[in-house]
């Protein structure tokens, strides 16, 4: 029993992921240390400094990770619905009792400590989704299993959008990748990718040109498969949706997105420059990176 | 299962592609493009300029005549400012609370994170008061710099003024000047700007993201210390500069005195003058409008080099010298003066009735007739048909004395005066014209005008017996004596011809029949020539030119007092006081009281109504004089015109050349 446990402990760990994690931690710490390096006060253990704090986080992270490994995996399997439920409750609670900071109601203040339920929600969602995927080995071919998986992911996502914390919400879309890995149709990824491409293209190219391109491609596709009625119908459907989507994003962009989100997108796509305003952080980050050149800065 | 297992690689592939895209972008930002690197440099480096002290100026006796005074600019960095005691700051600076708020708003409008001037040029007293309480006002700091100070409070036109550069200066300097720099705008401050200004110092300071200074960049490797401007040593003698300005108080005109042997200018007076200290400091703009622009006698006109005056009788010695050199007269030549000179159908009056008169007496008595004959002989010596060519020849010889050309003094805005070549008269008279057409130039009237500097320079030529050295105000920069001012400019008249002319000039001051006998200086032989110059702007100008002592002259001078009447009444005494002060250090005896009397004379001309349009008459005046003589009617109309002409003869040369006098030139 003892031997078996040790075995499980050492051989079931995804060592590559652990190594990547440790490498990222080391790089991050070194960067922070180098940027505020002061030769008069050299020392890694100054816990009032940014790198000292970072070190505390890294160490406590490692200890926490180690402790979790010591638990039996089945514990999480059993408790995952409760953890998930708990995070949903927290997400609901933050909408009621949360502090509003910079327009986002994302934090629950407990004394001086600030709790961000969205972070726990990622954890809880991952656990429950893993449990569901592992429970009866669904292939995500049927509507029901897709719907259940979608519900698990979308429930916290919607609650987080209500805060609204778009950035955290977007993270939940990454669950598409494990679902794809477990058998979700690749079309979901393709549709998702297509929507992103069309969204970006809509800013850079006039809409009528996009419509023409979509129509021409669809036409060629239909011509090549002119004997297959099913393909023709689905192609036409996709084309109509794509064109409808083009018009929809125009409206959605103006009505749904907040001005600061719009300006972020415009800056990103190079449609406007605002080095003193909305683009200040971006350009200053770029300048900070650029100042390093080949040899870099720091120390 | 196999099929799904492959999906692992698809997902991994996706992540790798995205990572590569990000890496590529990072590579571009950090290594491929230097745009961001350069921005980073300007982001963290702030250049703090240290202003150098401008160079001082000394007079010929080593006295400091232009120096610097420390002042302080109060700078503010708006986003470092915390709520502060507005009243306390206002009281320390002696400004109102409203001004404090207004200035802060202004500074904030310029930049919130950069240090901008809050109040410029705070006096030492305010600064001392402020220093004690400055800690109470975070975000404020002082920056020291210097402003000009002119201890004698004279010589506004001479020194000019220094002013903050404007956008045009900055554009023209191709990046040398930056906002907040100062620059000489006129006078010596302008012409020696490059020597006086020194070099700005730079301190490169690294700032962090919170705009807090993090110390000097690269241990000050690229910092530059401010270098003070070089000291100038001028030829000015402040004693007579000051005396001259006092004598010219409430008078319009100019004085130029030159040391003949060196060409150094001893005094350079433009009247009305102004205290150059008025154009320094915070009230510069207001004072400029009030005292310079607001003064109807136009102090901004630098009369010694910009004022145009007919030289009048002071031109006669030059005329005589050319006559002697050309051989048309000799020292014993006499002409008969019947109280007038008949040129064609017109008469030029002479104030005296001397009968047969010689050269020496002709100069001493300023006989118009004598010099009209000299002129007639000069222009007709090659026959009546060659008068045009001979005139041109004569004109070129006179021009060698410096008339009609710039003397290239080290001051901006010098003008050359009017002294026309022959083709000018071709345009008016066609090909057929002769000495009678241009006869007024024989006595320095009519078309010829000269600046006081040119007149003084002509005196230097006579004092030197035949040459001049380019007149200049500054003889040395730092400890280096300037080399360019040693060349002798010979005027082409032999030294032996000067003595007879100088005899006459000596008599003019030192004999009972001379024109300037009241200006005799005890124990000094002053040689000179008065002028009573007709001009279209009212009363005659009082003119005196001269030099002293006769042997080994030390000073040559030209004095013009506008609209003051006879040369002997004002210009000659003023010149004699200046010369005596220069040679003896003081004005002696009863003449000391006369100096005080002269200082208190108010000879400011009556201002004409400037709203009346100025009629411009386009023909040369000699011609119009002829017409005026022939018809009474024209004469009257010209009188009216003359009366309506604007007051400023010296200011508007175009009018000067065209305006005519009521009667032919006459001279005392």
């Amino acid at each position: 029993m003892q031997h078996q446990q040790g075995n499980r402990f050492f051989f079931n760990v995804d060592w590559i992921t652990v190594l990547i994690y440790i490498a990222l931690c080391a790089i991050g710490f070194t960067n922070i240390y180098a940027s505020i390096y002061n030769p008069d006060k050299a020392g890694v253990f100054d816990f009032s400094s940014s790198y000292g704090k970072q070190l505390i986080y890294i160490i406590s992270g490692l200890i926490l990770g180690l402790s979790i490994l010591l638990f039996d995996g089945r514990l999480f399997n059993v408790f995952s619905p409760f953890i998930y439920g708990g995070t949903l409750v927290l997400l609901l609670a933050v909408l009621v009792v949360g502090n509003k900071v910079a327009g986002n109601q994302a934090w629950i203040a407990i004394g001086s400590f600030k709790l961000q339920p969205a972070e726990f929600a990622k954890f809880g969602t991952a656990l429950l989704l893993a449990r569901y995927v592992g429970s009866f080995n669904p292939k995500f071919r049927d509507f029901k299993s897709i719907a259940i998986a979608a519900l698990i992911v979308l429930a916290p996502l919607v609650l987080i959008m209500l805060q609204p914390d778009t950035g955290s919400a977007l993270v939940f879309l990454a669950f598409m990748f494990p679902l794809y890995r477990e058998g979700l149709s690749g079309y979901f990824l393709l549709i998702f990718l297509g929507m992103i491409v069309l969204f970006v293209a809509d800013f850079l190219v006039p809409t009528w040109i996009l419509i023409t391109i979509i129509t021409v491609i669809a036409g060629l596709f239909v011509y090549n498969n002119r004997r297959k009625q099913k393909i023709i119908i689905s192609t036409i459907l996709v084309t109509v949706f794509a064109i409808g989507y083009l018009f929809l994003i125009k409206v959605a962009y103006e009505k749904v997105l907040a001005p600061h989100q719009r300006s972020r997108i415009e800056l990103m796509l190079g449609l406007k420059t605002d080095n003193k305003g909305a683009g200040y952080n971006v350009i200053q980050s770029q300048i900070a990176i650029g100042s390093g050149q080949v040899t870099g800065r720091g120390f | 299962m196999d099929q799904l297992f492959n999906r692992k690689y698809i997902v991994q592939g996706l992540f790798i592609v995205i990572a590569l895209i990000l890496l590529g972008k990072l590579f571009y930002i950090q290594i491929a493009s230097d745009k961001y690197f350069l921005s980073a440099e300007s982001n963290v480096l702030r250049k703090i300029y240290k202003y150098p002290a401008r160079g001082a100026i000394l007079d010929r006796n080593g006295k400091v005549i232009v120096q610097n005074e420390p002042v302080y600019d109060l700078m503010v960095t708006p986003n470092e400012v915390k709520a502060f005691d507005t009243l306390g700051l206002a009281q320390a600076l002696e400004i109102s609370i409203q001004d404090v708020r207004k200035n802060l708003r202004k500074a904030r409008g310029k930049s919130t994170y950069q240090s901008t001037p809050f109040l410029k040029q705070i006096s030492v007293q305010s600064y001392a008061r402020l220093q004690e309480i400055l800690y109470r006002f975070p975000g404020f700091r002082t920056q020291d710099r210097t402003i000009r100070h002119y201890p004698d409070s004279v010589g506004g036109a001479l020194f000019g003024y220094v002013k903050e550069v404007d956008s045009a200066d900055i554009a023209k300097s191709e990046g040398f000047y930056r906002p907040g720099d100062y620059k000489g705008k006129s006078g010596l401050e302008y012409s020696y700007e490059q020597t006086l200004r020194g070099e700005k110092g730079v301190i490169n300071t690294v700032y962090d993201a919170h705009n807090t200074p993090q110390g000097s960049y690269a241990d000050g490797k690229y910092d530059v210390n401010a270098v003070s401007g070089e000291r100038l040593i001028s030829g000015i003698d402040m004693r007579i500069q000051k005396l001259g300005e006092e004598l010219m108080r409430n008078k319009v005109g100019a004085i130029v005195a030159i040391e003949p042997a060196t060409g150094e200018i001893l005094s350079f007076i433009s009247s009305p003058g102004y205290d150059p200290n008025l154009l320094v400091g915070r009230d510069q703009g207001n004072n400029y409008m009030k005292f310079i622009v607001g003064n109807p006698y136009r102090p901004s006109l630098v009369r010694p080099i910009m004022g145009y005056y007919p030289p009048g009788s002071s031109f006669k010695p030059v005329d005589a010298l050319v006559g002697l050199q050309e051989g048309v007269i000799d020292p014993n030549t006499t002409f008969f003066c019947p109280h007038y000179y008949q040129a064609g159908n017109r008469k030029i009056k002479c104030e005296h009735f001397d009968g047969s008169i010689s050269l020496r007496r002709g100069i001493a008595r300023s006989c118009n007739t004598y010099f009209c004959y000299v002129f007639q002989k000069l222009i007709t010596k090659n026959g009546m048909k060659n008068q045009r060519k001979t005139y041109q020849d004569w004109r070129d010889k006179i021009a060698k004395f410096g008339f009609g050309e710039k003397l290239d003094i080290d001051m901006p805005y010098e003008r050359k005066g009017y002294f026309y070549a022959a083709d000018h008269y071709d345009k008016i008279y066609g090909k057929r014209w002769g000495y009678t057409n241009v006869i007024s130039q024989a006595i320095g009237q009519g078309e010829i005008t000269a600046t006081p500097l040119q007149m003084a320079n002509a005196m230097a030529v006579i004092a030197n017996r035949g040459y001049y050295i380019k007149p200049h105000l500054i003889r040395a920069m730092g400890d280096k004596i300037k080399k360019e001012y040693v060349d002798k400019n010979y005027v082409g008249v032999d030294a032996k011809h000067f003595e007879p002319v100088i005899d006459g000039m000596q008599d003019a001051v030192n004999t009972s029949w001379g024109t300037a006998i009241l200006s005799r200086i005890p124990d000094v032989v002053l040689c000179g020539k008065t002028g009573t110059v007709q001009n279209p702007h009212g009363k005659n100008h009082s003119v005196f030119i001269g030099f002293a002592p006769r042997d080994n002259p030390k000073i040559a001078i030209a004095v013009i007092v506008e609209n003051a009447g006879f040369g002997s009444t004002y210009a000659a005494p003023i010149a004699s006081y200046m010369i005596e002060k220069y040679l003896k250090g003081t004005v002696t005896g009863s003449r000391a009281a006369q100096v005080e009397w002269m200082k208190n004379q108010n000879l400011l001309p009556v201002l004409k109504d400037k709203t009346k349009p100025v009629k411009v008459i386009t023909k040369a005046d000699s011609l119009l004089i002829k017409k005026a003589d022939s018809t009474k009617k024209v004469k009257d109309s010209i009188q009216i015109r003359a009366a309506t002409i604007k007051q400023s003869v010296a200011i508007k040369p175009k009018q000067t050349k065209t305006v005519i006098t009521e009667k032919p030139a006459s001279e005392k």
Side-chain angles (χ1 to χ4, degrees), chain A residues 34 66 85 98 116 153 213 228 269 271 278:
Chain A
L66 214 65
Q116 193 178 2
V153 175
I213 292 171
K228 296 170 188 164
L269 296 176
L271 297 177

Side-chain angles (χ1 to χ4, degrees), chain B residues 499-616:
Chain B
E499 295 309 326
V501 174
I502 293 170
D503 283 341
M505 291 173 68
Q506 183 180 342
D507 288 355
V509 183
N510 298 295
T511 62
S512 56
W513 62 86
T515 52
I517 51 165
L518 294 172
S519 304
R520 205 177 311 172
I521 306 171
D523 312 325
V524 174
V525 181
L526 167 62
C527 304
K529 183 79 202 70
T530 55
T532 305
V533 178
Q534 299 193 340
N535 70 91
H537 309 295
K539 258 178 99 174
N540 293 337
H541 294 330
S542 174
V543 176
F544 181 84
I545 55 170
F547 63 90
R550 172 169 176 152
D551 299 315
N552 195 12
K554 293 278 181 241
I555 178 169
I557 197 167
V559 178
I560 287 115
V561 187
E562 286 181 25
N563 307 110
F566 294 117
S568 53
T569 329
Y570 294 106
I574 287 173
S576 75
Y577 305 144
M578 300 264 297
I579 290 170
E580 187 172 5
K581 175 99 177 172
Y582 179 67
L583 295 177
K584 295 183 177 174
T586 178
V587 181
T588 51
S590 62
R591 286 163 54 77
Q594 292 169 23
V595 169
E596 295 311 311
W597 178 85
M598 184 63 81
K599 285 179 184 173
N600 294 325
Q601 291 305 297
N602 185 340
L603 302 171
L604 289 176
V606 180
L607 289 168
K608 301 267 166 55
D609 185 0
K610 289 199 169 187
T611 55
K612 282 184 189 164
V614 178
K615 283 184 183 153
V616 175

Side-chain angles (χ1 to χ4, degrees), chain B residues 297-314:
Chain B
Y297 297 106
R298 301 195 55 183
S300 61
L301 187 81
V302 186
R303 286 177 168 82
I305 52 170
M306 295 167 83
Y308 280 3
Y309 303 95
S313 299
S314 59

Side-chain angles (χ1 to χ4, degrees), chain B residues 35-54:
Chain B
K35 174 181 137 198
Y36 299 102
F37 173 70
L38 295 176
S39 307
E41 291 286 290
S42 68
N43 239 8
V44 296
L45 280 190
R46 200 115 337 131
K47 289 180 190 303
I48 294 173
Y49 289 98
K50 287 284 173 192
Y51 293 102
R54 275 179 90 80

Side-chain angles (χ1 to χ4, degrees), chain B residues 151-226:
Chain B
D152 295 286
S153 295
V154 294
L158 169 65
F159 300 128
Y161 63 100
V162 176
K163 191 170 179 265
E164 193 173 336
V165 291
D166 54 33
S167 51
D169 293 323
I170 294 169
K172 232 192 305 178
S173 74
E174 289 172 352
F176 181 87
Y177 292 111
R178 297 171 54 85
D181 288 354
Y182 284 73
K183 179 179 186 289
K185 289 277 185 175
S186 70
L188 288 177
E189 299 278 18
Y190 175 91
S191 47
Y192 287 95
E193 166 67 13
Q194 295 200 353
T195 313
L196 289 171
R197 70 187 173 196
E199 282 163 41
K200 259 184 295 183
V202 179
I203 294 175
N204 293 292
T205 309
V206 178
Y207 278 71
D208 71 0
H210 309 290
N211 202 45
T212 342
Q214 297 293 305
S216 88
Y217 175 68
D219 291 329
K221 208 162 83 186
Y222 304 103
D223 292 357
V224 181
N225 279 330

Side-chain angles (χ1 to χ4, degrees), chain B residues 203-267:
Chain B
I203 294 175
N204 293 292
T205 309
V206 178
Y207 278 71
D208 71 0
H210 309 290
N211 202 45
T212 342
Q214 297 293 305
S216 88
Y217 175 68
D219 291 329
K221 208 162 83 186
Y222 304 103
D223 292 357
V224 181
N225 279 330
V227 180
S228 298
E230 267 194 274
R231 196 179 58 177
L232 297 182
I233 299 172
S234 77
I236 294 288
D237 187 321
M238 208 19 131
R239 296 172 306 161
I240 60 168
Q241 176 77 21
K242 212 170 166 179
L243 174 70
E245 295 215 8
E246 282 165 13
L247 287 167
M248 291 298 280
R249 200 163 54 204
N250 286 326
K251 300 165 192 74
V252 180
I255 301 176
V256 177
I258 299 176
E259 183 178 53
T262 59
E264 284 167 22
I265 292 174
L266 300 166
S267 80

Side-chain angles (χ1 to χ4, degrees), chain B residues 425-537:
Chain B
Y425 298 103
D426 295 345
K427 282 184 216 141
I428 298 168
Y429 305 112
K431 284 288 165 200
R432 290 177 56 79
W433 53 274
Y435 71 93
T436 52
N437 297 97
V438 291
I439 192 73
S440 19
Q441 293 188 53
I443 51 170
Q445 293 281 163
E447 289 92 341
I448 185 168
T449 58
T451 64
L453 177 71
Q454 287 169 330
M455 298 185 209
N457 188 58
M459 275 307 103
V461 171
I462 297 174
N464 286 334
R465 274 75 166 171
Y467 68 88
Y468 68 90
I469 289 165
K470 207 152 91 175
H472 54 279
L473 289 155
I474 298 300
R475 73 157 163 228
M477 293 150 82
D479 296 320
K480 300 184 291 285
I481 306 286
K482 287 165 87 177
K483 287 274 175 274
E484 63 259 45
Y485 295 132
V486 288
D487 291 341
K488 294 177 177 176
N489 300 284
Y490 284 93
V491 297
V493 176
D494 298 340
K496 63 176 180 195
H497 297 309
F498 283 89
E499 295 309 326
V501 174
I502 293 170
D503 283 341
M505 291 173 68
Q506 183 180 342
D507 288 355
V509 183
N510 298 295
T511 62
S512 56
W513 62 86
T515 52
I517 51 165
L518 294 172
S519 304
R520 205 177 311 172
I521 306 171
D523 312 325
V524 174
V525 181
L526 167 62
C527 304
K529 183 79 202 70
T530 55
T532 305
V533 178
Q534 299 193 340
N535 70 91
H537 309 295

